[in-house]
Amino acid sequence: MALTVRPGILDIAPYVGGESSLAGQGRVIRLASNEGALGASPQAVEAYRQAAATLHRYPDGGATRLREAIGRRFGLDPAAIVCGAGSDELIGLLTRAYAGPGDEVLYSRHGFLMYAIAAQSVGAVPVSAPETDLTADVDALLERVGPRTRIVFLANPNNPTGSYLPAAALRRLHEGLPPDVLLVIDAAYAEYVGRGDYEPGSTLVAAHDNVVMTRTFSKIFGLAALRLGWAYCPPAVADVLNRLRGPFNVPAPAQAAGVAALADTGHVERARAHNDRWLPWFRDALAGIGIASNPSVGNFVLVHFPAESGADAAAACEFLNQRGIIPRRMGAYGLGDWLRITIGLEEEMRAVVDALTAFADQGSLSTVQGRGGR
Ligand SMILES: *Cc1c(COP(=O)(O)O)cnc(C)c1O
């Protein structure tokens, strides 16, 4: 008899990450994975190096120093924090803990792809709610909550749209959920958001038993390679995650680098200031050449290449690739007319704008030629 895989698993479309290289191109500009433009703090790199001296030792399974450092930095109780190998691991563990075959896991239409994958991997049914203006719609989400709903995932800000829900909307979403539905607020880009009406979710977690906030070191802290994330949880959820996670799920070098990265507040400030400058610059430059983009409070921008323009997203992606630039295709998110472009270094953003200027010129030329020929 052949092996039988658990229901749902073969329905999973494997997650395809952003590309990191291009055939025939040496140096490339990687803007496909929302990695921090400035890279890691030099102090974090040094801590990582020093951890090389004790690679034969198991890590601290409780990630004690790291949880204490996170607690100090964000004013949270370290006992309520659970660290993971990236927030992806925590998303997976939460799904395993609270959803199973036949249950429903809800998220917004263009929400982060990992939510559907996590749901399918436990045999649960991924359910998506329509968005309004590429933004999560609280009423649409609440309308789709039913007796089988176990988890609602909300990336805030959302990847790939770049939109966010203000704290009041988040509260309203939570108020509309039954107490036996877990609300997971994925705040991977929280550090980039400068809006007064934004809140990453810790207040809701502190006040309720059914809300979790996940965070990551992969974005503004520039430590994506180390796979380091954390969740701020109600006590019972922290207890569940600590039972379910691997005993040594976070490598020691990642813990050490994480502690050092938190201490280097200047590096995070510079990364935020860089994004605050170059994201609006990039959107303005695109607008100047007639290319629309979606407002974003993250470190990335969804750029619109309408199919009917004759200069669609596939053509734009190919054009950028030929110039050594890697954006992210969005077909898997149901956003085939868009490319997602991470905010990189100044020279990288200038290179993208130069390339897209040439692309737009070529497009208008072919439109004119097309008309002339008819
Ligand atoms: C990048 C990202 C994460 C982070 O994943 P890690 O596993 O921590 O690297 C989580 N959620 C969203 C929405 C993201 O875009």
Side-chain angles (χ1 to χ4, degrees):
M1 274 233 300
L3 296 175
T4 308
V5 68
R6 298 287 303 158
I9 291 177
L10 294 181
D11 298 333
I12 297 172
Y15 185 87
V16 180
E19 283 165 309
S20 58
S21 63
L22 294 169
Q25 304 256 15
R27 253 189 84 220
V28 292
I29 296 178
R30 294 169 58 166
L31 302 175
S33 298
N34 299 347
E35 296 145 341
L38 305 190
S41 152
Q43 295 171 34
V45 175
E46 182 51 31
Y48 177 78
R49 280 214 183 88
Q50 283 181 17
T54 46
L55 289 185
H56 59 303
R57 301 290 182 199
Y58 276 99
D60 169 13
T64 312
R65 280 186 60 221
L66 177 59
R67 287 187 300 105
E68 285 170 1
I70 293 168
R72 266 195 307 280
R73 170 72 177 271
F74 297 100
L76 306 174
D77 175 9
I81 294 167
V82 179
C83 295
S87 40
D88 281 352
E89 181 185 30
L90 297 161
I91 290 167
L93 291 175
L94 287 164
T95 310
R96 254 171 77 196
Y98 295 100
D103 292 336
E104 292 179 0
V105 170
L106 180 62
Y107 53 94
S108 69
R109 172 71 181 90
H110 304 297
F112 188 42
L113 275 181
M114 285 308 299
Y115 310 146
I117 291 176
Q120 288 172 310
S121 70
V122 301
V125 181
V127 177
S128 71
E131 298 181 352
T132 304
D133 298 331
L134 295 177
T135 304
D137 181 322
V138 170
D139 296 304
L141 282 163
L142 290 176
E143 270 168 33
R144 276 156 190 81
V145 173
R148 291 175 175 277
T149 309
R150 300 271 55 91
I151 306 177
V152 177
F153 279 107
L154 183 82
N156 200 37
N158 186 51
N159 167 22
T161 52
S163 57
Y164 77 104
L165 288 185
L170 215 58
R171 271 198 305 278
R172 197 164 71 78
L173 173 62
H174 174 261
E175 276 162 18
L177 294 177
D180 64 345
V181 172
L182 178 67
L183 173 62
V184 179
I185 304 167
D186 176 348
Y189 301 93
E191 291 86 355
Y192 288 106
V193 187
R195 305 298 179 88
D197 61 356
Y198 175 78
E199 210 265 320
S202 14
T203 315
L204 273 181
V205 177
H208 302 282
D209 292 335
N210 64 334
V211 188
V212 168
M213 170 184 72
T214 61
R215 304 284 285 264
T216 183
F217 283 85
S218 299
K219 305 290 157 59
I220 205 162
F221 290 101
L223 294 173
L226 293 184
R227 314 304 306 120
L228 187 58
W230 54 279
Y232 175 52
C233 314
V237 177
D239 175 59
V240 162
L241 288 179
N242 280 324
R243 289 168 195 267
L244 207 50
R245 68 178 174 82
F248 305 105
N249 61 327
V250 182
Q255 295 186 31
V259 170
L262 287 167
D264 192 353
T265 52
H267 186 76
V268 175
E269 276 314 312
R270 281 187 291 280
R272 194 196 334 261
H274 174 87
N275 200 64
D276 285 348
R277 166 142 194 231
W278 292 102
L279 189 149
W281 178 90
F282 182 53
R283 292 198 64 222
D284 287 350
L286 292 179
I289 52 176
I291 296 177
S293 61
N294 201 45
S296 171
V297 296
N299 68 333
F300 54 89
V301 177
L302 261 192
V303 183
H304 201 200
F305 298 95
E308 58 279 10
S309 68
D312 62 14
C317 186
E318 179 59 25
F319 195 89
L320 290 171
N321 285 172
Q322 277 163 10
R323 282 153 186 77
I325 298 165
I326 312 180
R328 183 66 159 268
R329 299 284 301 270
M330 286 284 111
Y333 281 95
L335 294 165
D337 283 357
W338 303 76
L339 295 178
R340 193 192 66 203
I341 299 180
T342 305
I343 301 304
L345 296 169
E346 172 178 352
E347 57 269 27
E348 295 175 328
M349 300 324 289
R350 291 191 186 279
V352 175
V353 169
D354 288 350
L356 288 177
T357 304
F359 178 73
D361 286 350
Q362 181 206 341
S364 52
L365 205 69
S366 65
T367 316
V368 172
Q369 282 168 347
R371 276 196 215 108
R374 235 168 276 136

